[in-house]
PDB file of all heavy atoms in Angstrom:
ATOM      1  N   LEU A 949    -211.220-219.539  -1.009  1.00 95.00           N
ATOM      2  CA  LEU A 949    -210.843-220.686  -0.184  1.00 95.00           C
ATOM      3  C   LEU A 949    -211.072-222.005  -0.905  1.00 95.00           C
ATOM      4  O   LEU A 949    -210.773-223.071  -0.369  1.00 95.00           O
ATOM      5  CB  LEU A 949    -211.644-220.682   1.123  1.00 95.00           C
ATOM      6  CG  LEU A 949    -211.288-219.584   2.114  1.00 95.00           C
ATOM      7  CD1 LEU A 949    -212.388-219.417   3.153  1.00 95.00           C
ATOM      8  CD2 LEU A 949    -209.960-219.891   2.794  1.00 95.00           C
ATOM      9  N   GLY A 950    -211.637-221.959  -2.112  1.00 93.00           N
ATOM     10  CA  GLY A 950    -211.963-223.179  -2.845  1.00 93.00           C
ATOM     11  C   GLY A 950    -210.802-223.696  -3.669  1.00 93.00           C
ATOM     12  O   GLY A 950    -209.864-222.964  -3.994  1.00 93.00           O
ATOM     13  N   GLU A 951    -210.866-224.983  -4.020  1.00 90.00           N
ATOM     14  CA  GLU A 951    -209.869-225.561  -4.912  1.00 90.00           C
ATOM     15  C   GLU A 951    -210.246-225.235  -6.347  1.00 90.00           C
ATOM     16  O   GLU A 951    -211.406-225.316  -6.731  1.00 90.00           O
ATOM     17  CB  GLU A 951    -209.815-227.081  -4.723  1.00 90.00           C
ATOM     18  CG  GLU A 951    -209.329-227.511  -3.352  1.00 90.00           C
ATOM     19  CD  GLU A 951    -207.901-227.058  -3.075  1.00 90.00           C
ATOM     20  OE1 GLU A 951    -207.098-226.999  -4.030  1.00 90.00           O
ATOM     21  OE2 GLU A 951    -207.597-226.748  -1.917  1.00 90.00           O
ATOM     22  N   VAL A 952    -209.269-224.833  -7.136  1.00 89.00           N
ATOM     23  CA  VAL A 952    -209.500-224.469  -8.529  1.00 89.00           C
ATOM     24  C   VAL A 952    -208.672-225.387  -9.413  1.00 89.00           C
ATOM     25  O   VAL A 952    -207.467-225.511  -9.236  1.00 89.00           O
ATOM     26  CB  VAL A 952    -209.106-222.999  -8.797  1.00 89.00           C
ATOM     27  CG1 VAL A 952    -209.305-222.652 -10.271  1.00 89.00           C
ATOM     28  CG2 VAL A 952    -209.920-222.061  -7.917  1.00 89.00           C
ATOM     29  N   SER A 953    -209.338-226.047 -10.349  1.00 82.00           N
ATOM     30  CA  SER A 953    -208.620-226.932 -11.254  1.00 82.00           C
ATOM     31  C   SER A 953    -209.307-226.961 -12.602  1.00 82.00           C
ATOM     32  O   SER A 953    -210.478-226.615 -12.728  1.00 82.00           O
ATOM     33  CB  SER A 953    -208.538-228.352 -10.683  1.00 82.00           C
ATOM     34  OG  SER A 953    -209.831-228.905 -10.553  1.00 82.00           O
ATOM     35  N   SER A 954    -208.572-227.350 -13.612  1.00 76.00           N
ATOM     36  CA  SER A 954    -209.111-227.451 -14.960  1.00 76.00           C
ATOM     37  C   SER A 954    -208.633-228.739 -15.579  1.00 76.00           C
ATOM     38  O   SER A 954    -207.452-229.073 -15.502  1.00 76.00           O
ATOM     39  CB  SER A 954    -208.653-226.266 -15.806  1.00 76.00           C
ATOM     40  OG  SER A 954    -208.999-226.464 -17.161  1.00 76.00           O
ATOM     41  N   SER A 955    -209.546-229.468 -16.198  1.00 69.00           N
ATOM     42  CA  SER A 955    -209.163-230.705 -16.868  1.00 69.00           C
ATOM     43  C   SER A 955    -208.810-230.457 -18.329  1.00 69.00           C
ATOM     44  O   SER A 955    -208.494-231.390 -19.052  1.00 69.00           O
ATOM     45  CB  SER A 955    -210.313-231.719 -16.780  1.00 69.00           C
ATOM     46  OG  SER A 955    -211.485-231.190 -17.384  1.00 69.00           O
ATOM     47  N   GLY A 956    -208.873-229.186 -18.749  1.00 64.00           N
ATOM     48  CA  GLY A 956    -208.595-228.876 -20.144  1.00 64.00           C
ATOM     49  C   GLY A 956    -207.473-227.874 -20.277  1.00 64.00           C
ATOM     50  O   GLY A 956    -206.348-228.122 -19.859  1.00 64.00           O
ATOM     51  N   ILE A 957    -207.757-226.697 -20.855  1.00 58.00           N
ATOM     52  CA  ILE A 957    -206.753-225.656 -21.028  1.00 58.00           C
ATOM     53  C   ILE A 957    -206.323-225.161 -19.645  1.00 58.00           C
ATOM     54  O   ILE A 957    -207.148-224.772 -18.833  1.00 58.00           O
ATOM     55  CB  ILE A 957    -207.334-224.481 -21.833  1.00 58.00           C
ATOM     56  CG1 ILE A 957    -207.893-224.978 -23.169  1.00 58.00           C
ATOM     57  CG2 ILE A 957    -206.287-223.402 -22.050  1.00 58.00           C
ATOM     58  CD1 ILE A 957    -206.876-225.589 -24.086  1.00 58.00           C
ATOM     59  N   THR A 958    -205.043-225.149 -19.358  1.00 61.00           N
ATOM     60  CA  THR A 958    -204.574-224.777 -18.018  1.00 61.00           C
ATOM     61  C   THR A 958    -203.713-223.519 -18.003  1.00 61.00           C
ATOM     62  O   THR A 958    -203.143-223.184 -16.983  1.00 61.00           O
ATOM     63  CB  THR A 958    -203.773-225.937 -17.390  1.00 61.00           C
ATOM     64  OG1 THR A 958    -202.659-226.245 -18.252  1.00 61.00           O
ATOM     65  CG2 THR A 958    -204.640-227.164 -17.214  1.00 61.00           C
ATOM     66  N   ASP A 959    -203.601-222.812 -19.133  1.00 69.00           N
ATOM     67  CA  ASP A 959    -202.744-221.634 -19.134  1.00 69.00           C
ATOM     68  C   ASP A 959    -203.442-220.404 -18.584  1.00 69.00           C
ATOM     69  O   ASP A 959    -202.819-219.368 -18.397  1.00 69.00           O
ATOM     70  CB  ASP A 959    -202.204-221.352 -20.541  1.00 69.00           C
ATOM     71  CG  ASP A 959    -203.312-221.086 -21.550  1.00 69.00           C
ATOM     72  OD1 ASP A 959    -204.446-221.504 -21.287  1.00 69.00           O
ATOM     73  OD2 ASP A 959    -203.022-220.476 -22.598  1.00 69.00           O
ATOM     74  N   CYS A 960    -204.746-220.494 -18.316  1.00 86.00           N
ATOM     75  CA  CYS A 960    -205.494-219.362 -17.770  1.00 86.00           C
ATOM     76  C   CYS A 960    -206.331-219.829 -16.592  1.00 86.00           C
ATOM     77  O   CYS A 960    -207.554-219.695 -16.570  1.00 86.00           O
ATOM     78  CB  CYS A 960    -206.372-218.721 -18.846  1.00 86.00           C
ATOM     79  SG  CYS A 960    -205.449-217.966 -20.191  1.00 86.00           S
ATOM     80  N   THR A 961    -205.667-220.421 -15.604  1.00 87.00           N
ATOM     81  CA  THR A 961    -206.333-220.941 -14.427  1.00 87.00           C
ATOM     82  C   THR A 961    -205.665-220.364 -13.190  1.00 87.00           C
ATOM     83  O   THR A 961    -204.445-220.469 -13.043  1.00 87.00           O
ATOM     84  CB  THR A 961    -206.268-222.480 -14.387  1.00 87.00           C
ATOM     85  OG1 THR A 961    -206.870-223.000 -15.569  1.00 87.00           O
ATOM     86  CG2 THR A 961    -206.997-223.028 -13.176  1.00 87.00           C
ATOM     87  N   GLY A 962    -206.464-219.724 -12.314  1.00 89.00           N
ATOM     88  CA  GLY A 962    -205.887-219.112 -11.119  1.00 89.00           C
ATOM     89  C   GLY A 962    -206.831-219.182  -9.939  1.00 89.00           C
ATOM     90  O   GLY A 962    -208.047-219.235 -10.103  1.00 89.00           O
ATOM     91  N   GLY A 963    -206.271-219.160  -8.751  1.00 90.00           N
ATOM     92  CA  GLY A 963    -207.087-219.202  -7.544  1.00 90.00           C
ATOM     93  C   GLY A 963    -208.001-218.004  -7.408  1.00 90.00           C
ATOM     94  O   GLY A 963    -209.073-218.101  -6.813  1.00 90.00           O
ATOM     95  N   ILE A 964    -207.605-216.857  -7.983  1.00 93.00           N
ATOM     96  CA  ILE A 964    -208.422-215.644  -7.897  1.00 93.00           C
ATOM     97  C   ILE A 964    -209.104-215.371  -9.235  1.00 93.00           C
ATOM     98  O   ILE A 964    -210.325-215.406  -9.342  1.00 93.00           O
ATOM     99  CB  ILE A 964    -207.571-214.422  -7.481  1.00 93.00           C
ATOM    100  CG1 ILE A 964    -206.860-214.675  -6.153  1.00 93.00           C
ATOM    101  CG2 ILE A 964    -208.461-213.186  -7.367  1.00 93.00           C
ATOM    102  CD1 ILE A 964    -205.786-213.662  -5.822  1.00 93.00           C
ATOM    103  N   VAL A 965    -208.313-215.064 -10.255  1.00 93.00           N
ATOM    104  CA  VAL A 965    -208.839-214.790 -11.595  1.00 93.00           C
ATOM    105  C   VAL A 965    -208.087-215.650 -12.600  1.00 93.00           C
ATOM    106  O   VAL A 965    -206.857-215.781 -12.519  1.00 93.00           O
ATOM    107  CB  VAL A 965    -208.672-213.302 -11.974  1.00 93.00           C
ATOM    108  CG1 VAL A 965    -209.265-213.023 -13.355  1.00 93.00           C
ATOM    109  CG2 VAL A 965    -209.338-212.403 -10.939  1.00 93.00           C
ATOM    110  N   GLY A 966    -208.824-216.244 -13.547  1.00 91.00           N
ATOM    111  CA  GLY A 966    -208.170-217.060 -14.559  1.00 91.00           C
ATOM    112  C   GLY A 966    -207.370-216.231 -15.538  1.00 91.00           C
ATOM    113  O   GLY A 966    -206.184-216.486 -15.770  1.00 91.00           O
ATOM    114  N   TYR A 967    -207.997-215.194 -16.106  1.00 91.00           N
ATOM    115  CA  TYR A 967    -207.328-214.392 -17.126  1.00 91.00           C
ATOM    116  C   TYR A 967    -207.825-212.961 -17.048  1.00 91.00           C
ATOM    117  O   TYR A 967    -209.031-212.717 -17.035  1.00 91.00           O
ATOM    118  CB  TYR A 967    -207.616-214.969 -18.513  1.00 91.00           C
ATOM    119  CG  TYR A 967    -206.865-214.324 -19.656  1.00 91.00           C
ATOM    120  CD1 TYR A 967    -205.559-213.858 -19.502  1.00 91.00           C
ATOM    121  CD2 TYR A 967    -207.456-214.208 -20.906  1.00 91.00           C
ATOM    122  CE1 TYR A 967    -204.865-213.281 -20.564  1.00 91.00           C
ATOM    123  CE2 TYR A 967    -206.765-213.634 -21.983  1.00 91.00           C
ATOM    124  CZ  TYR A 967    -205.469-213.175 -21.804  1.00 91.00           C
ATOM    125  OH  TYR A 967    -204.797-212.607 -22.857  1.00 91.00           O
ATOM    126  N   ILE A 968    -206.889-212.022 -16.977  1.00 93.00           N
ATOM    127  CA  ILE A 968    -207.228-210.598 -16.980  1.00 93.00           C
ATOM    128  C   ILE A 968    -206.768-209.987 -18.301  1.00 93.00           C
ATOM    129  O   ILE A 968    -205.576-209.999 -18.617  1.00 93.00           O
ATOM    130  CB  ILE A 968    -206.573-209.848 -15.809  1.00 93.00           C
ATOM    131  CG1 ILE A 968    -207.117-210.351 -14.474  1.00 93.00           C
ATOM    132  CG2 ILE A 968    -206.807-208.342 -15.939  1.00 93.00           C
ATOM    133  CD1 ILE A 968    -206.491-209.690 -13.267  1.00 93.00           C
ATOM    134  N   ILE A 969    -207.729-209.472 -19.061  1.00 92.00           N
ATOM    135  CA  ILE A 969    -207.418-208.784 -20.306  1.00 92.00           C
ATOM    136  C   ILE A 969    -207.469-207.273 -20.088  1.00 92.00           C
ATOM    137  O   ILE A 969    -206.616-206.532 -20.568  1.00 92.00           O
ATOM    138  CB  ILE A 969    -208.399-209.200 -21.418  1.00 92.00           C
ATOM    139  CG1 ILE A 969    -208.312-210.716 -21.654  1.00 92.00           C
ATOM    140  CG2 ILE A 969    -208.116-208.435 -22.715  1.00 92.00           C
ATOM    141  CD1 ILE A 969    -209.355-211.250 -22.595  1.00 92.00           C
ATOM    142  N   GLU A 970    -208.497-206.825 -19.360  1.00 92.00           N
ATOM    143  CA  GLU A 970    -208.673-205.393 -19.096  1.00 92.00           C
ATOM    144  C   GLU A 970    -208.989-205.170 -17.622  1.00 92.00           C
ATOM    145  O   GLU A 970    -209.467-206.058 -16.923  1.00 92.00           O
ATOM    146  CB  GLU A 970    -209.821-204.842 -19.942  1.00 92.00           C
ATOM    147  CG  GLU A 970    -209.560-204.885 -21.444  1.00 92.00           C
ATOM    148  CD  GLU A 970    -210.759-204.440 -22.243  1.00 92.00           C
ATOM    149  OE1 GLU A 970    -211.808-205.098 -22.144  1.00 92.00           O
ATOM    150  OE2 GLU A 970    -210.640-203.432 -22.951  1.00 92.00           O
ATOM    151  N   GLY A 971    -208.747-203.952 -17.156  1.00 93.00           N
ATOM    152  CA  GLY A 971    -209.114-203.581 -15.796  1.00 93.00           C
ATOM    153  C   GLY A 971    -208.032-203.919 -14.780  1.00 93.00           C
ATOM    154  O   GLY A 971    -206.892-204.224 -15.117  1.00 93.00           O
ATOM    155  N   LYS A 972    -208.417-203.900 -13.507  1.00 94.00           N
ATOM    156  CA  LYS A 972    -207.463-204.032 -12.414  1.00 94.00           C
ATOM    157  C   LYS A 972    -207.873-205.147 -11.455  1.00 94.00           C
ATOM    158  O   LYS A 972    -209.047-205.458 -11.297  1.00 94.00           O
ATOM    159  CB  LYS A 972    -207.377-202.717 -11.632  1.00 94.00           C
ATOM    160  CG  LYS A 972    -206.900-201.532 -12.464  1.00 94.00           C
ATOM    161  CD  LYS A 972    -206.912-200.250 -11.642  1.00 94.00           C
ATOM    162  CE  LYS A 972    -206.450-199.064 -12.467  1.00 94.00           C
ATOM    163  NZ  LYS A 972    -206.459-197.808 -11.691  1.00 94.00           N
ATOM    164  N   ALA A 973    -206.870-205.701 -10.791  1.00 96.00           N
ATOM    165  CA  ALA A 973    -207.063-206.658  -9.703  1.00 96.00           C
ATOM    166  C   ALA A 973    -206.328-206.105  -8.491  1.00 96.00           C
ATOM    167  O   ALA A 973    -205.122-205.867  -8.551  1.00 96.00           O
ATOM    168  CB  ALA A 973    -206.523-208.026 -10.081  1.00 96.00           C
ATOM    169  N   ILE A 974    -207.056-205.891  -7.388  1.00 97.00           N
ATOM    170  CA  ILE A 974    -206.490-205.183  -6.242  1.00 97.00           C
ATOM    171  C   ILE A 974    -206.842-205.894  -4.930  1.00 97.00           C
ATOM    172  O   ILE A 974    -208.006-206.205  -4.682  1.00 97.00           O
ATOM    173  CB  ILE A 974    -207.027-203.734  -6.175  1.00 97.00           C
ATOM    174  CG1 ILE A 974    -206.714-202.975  -7.470  1.00 97.00           C
ATOM    175  CG2 ILE A 974    -206.460-202.987  -4.973  1.00 97.00           C
ATOM    176  CD1 ILE A 974    -207.460-201.662  -7.606  1.00 97.00           C
ATOM    177  N   ALA A 975    -205.835-206.139  -4.106  1.00 98.00           N
ATOM    178  CA  ALA A 975    -206.038-206.647  -2.745  1.00 98.00           C
ATOM    179  C   ALA A 975    -206.867-207.926  -2.715  1.00 98.00           C
ATOM    180  O   ALA A 975    -207.824-208.049  -1.969  1.00 98.00           O
ATOM    181  CB  ALA A 975    -206.680-205.571  -1.860  1.00 98.00           C
ATOM    182  N   LEU A 976    -206.464-208.897  -3.530  1.00 97.00           N
ATOM    183  CA  LEU A 976    -207.132-210.190  -3.605  1.00 97.00           C
ATOM    184  C   LEU A 976    -206.210-211.265  -3.045  1.00 97.00           C
ATOM    185  O   LEU A 976    -204.991-211.151  -3.105  1.00 97.00           O
ATOM    186  CB  LEU A 976    -207.470-210.526  -5.062  1.00 97.00           C
ATOM    187  CG  LEU A 976    -208.184-209.443  -5.875  1.00 97.00           C
ATOM    188  CD1 LEU A 976    -208.262-209.842  -7.337  1.00 97.00           C
ATOM    189  CD2 LEU A 976    -209.570-209.174  -5.322  1.00 97.00           C
ATOM    190  N   TRP A 977    -206.796-212.352  -2.526  1.00 97.00           N
ATOM    191  CA  TRP A 977    -205.966-213.455  -2.062  1.00 97.00           C
ATOM    192  C   TRP A 977    -206.673-214.788  -2.289  1.00 97.00           C
ATOM    193  O   TRP A 977    -207.889-214.860  -2.395  1.00 97.00           O
ATOM    194  CB  TRP A 977    -205.581-213.306  -0.587  1.00 97.00           C
ATOM    195  CG  TRP A 977    -206.737-213.421   0.377  1.00 97.00           C
ATOM    196  CD1 TRP A 977    -207.512-212.411   0.853  1.00 97.00           C
ATOM    197  CD2 TRP A 977    -207.250-214.633   0.955  1.00 97.00           C
ATOM    198  NE1 TRP A 977    -208.481-212.902   1.691  1.00 97.00           N
ATOM    199  CE2 TRP A 977    -208.349-214.272   1.771  1.00 97.00           C
ATOM    200  CE3 TRP A 977    -206.903-215.976   0.854  1.00 97.00           C
ATOM    201  CZ2 TRP A 977    -209.084-215.219   2.489  1.00 97.00           C
ATOM    202  CZ3 TRP A 977    -207.645-216.919   1.572  1.00 97.00           C
ATOM    203  CH2 TRP A 977    -208.703-216.530   2.387  1.00 97.00           C
ATOM    204  N   THR A 978    -205.864-215.820  -2.369  1.00 95.00           N
ATOM    205  CA  THR A 978    -206.372-217.181  -2.475  1.00 95.00           C
ATOM    206  C   THR A 978    -205.494-218.100  -1.651  1.00 95.00           C
ATOM    207  O   THR A 978    -204.288-217.875  -1.535  1.00 95.00           O
ATOM    208  CB  THR A 978    -206.402-217.665  -3.935  1.00 95.00           C
ATOM    209  OG1 THR A 978    -206.899-219.012  -3.980  1.00 95.00           O
ATOM    210  CG2 THR A 978    -205.027-217.630  -4.576  1.00 95.00           C
ATOM    211  N   LYS A 979    -206.093-219.112  -1.067  1.00 92.00           N
ATOM    212  CA  LYS A 979    -205.252-220.153  -0.491  1.00 92.00           C
ATOM    213  C   LYS A 979    -204.618-220.899  -1.665  1.00 92.00           C
ATOM    214  O   LYS A 979    -205.108-220.833  -2.793  1.00 92.00           O
ATOM    215  CB  LYS A 979    -206.051-221.100   0.395  1.00 92.00           C
ATOM    216  CG  LYS A 979    -206.912-222.102  -0.334  1.00 92.00           C
ATOM    217  CD  LYS A 979    -207.471-223.128   0.644  1.00 92.00           C
ATOM    218  CE  LYS A 979    -208.109-224.286  -0.103  1.00 92.00           C
ATOM    219  NZ  LYS A 979    -208.605-225.329   0.808  1.00 92.00           N
ATOM    220  N   ALA A 980    -203.520-221.577  -1.430  1.00 80.00           N
ATOM    221  CA  ALA A 980    -202.776-222.203  -2.514  1.00 80.00           C
ATOM    222  C   ALA A 980    -203.672-223.116  -3.340  1.00 80.00           C
ATOM    223  O   ALA A 980    -204.378-223.969  -2.817  1.00 80.00           O
ATOM    224  CB  ALA A 980    -201.607-222.996  -1.951  1.00 80.00           C
ATOM    225  N   THR A 981    -203.666-222.903  -4.632  1.00 78.00           N
ATOM    226  CA  THR A 981    -204.436-223.719  -5.569  1.00 78.00           C
ATOM    227  C   THR A 981    -203.757-223.576  -6.922  1.00 78.00           C
ATOM    228  O   THR A 981    -202.713-222.943  -7.030  1.00 78.00           O
ATOM    229  CB  THR A 981    -205.909-223.258  -5.589  1.00 78.00           C
ATOM    230  OG1 THR A 981    -206.679-224.151  -6.386  1.00 78.00           O
ATOM    231  CG2 THR A 981    -206.057-221.845  -6.132  1.00 78.00           C
TER     232      THR A 981
END
């Protein structure tokens, strides 16, 4: 539910996870950010 922002590198910024290299992301949600 929080606001997510970056003042620097922005190619790996997300409301849930910034960057996934390995593993899984399942049944996650974020309000718009």
Side-chain angles (χ1 to χ4, degrees):
L949 290 163
E951 295 298 327
V952 178
S953 63
S954 171
S955 59
I957 305 297
T958 59
D959 61 339
C960 295
T961 302
I964 303 168
V965 182
Y967 186 35
I968 295 178
I969 300 173
E970 295 175 298
K972 299 177 181 180
I974 302 167
L976 310 172
W977 67 269
T978 180
K979 76 171 191 177
T981 187

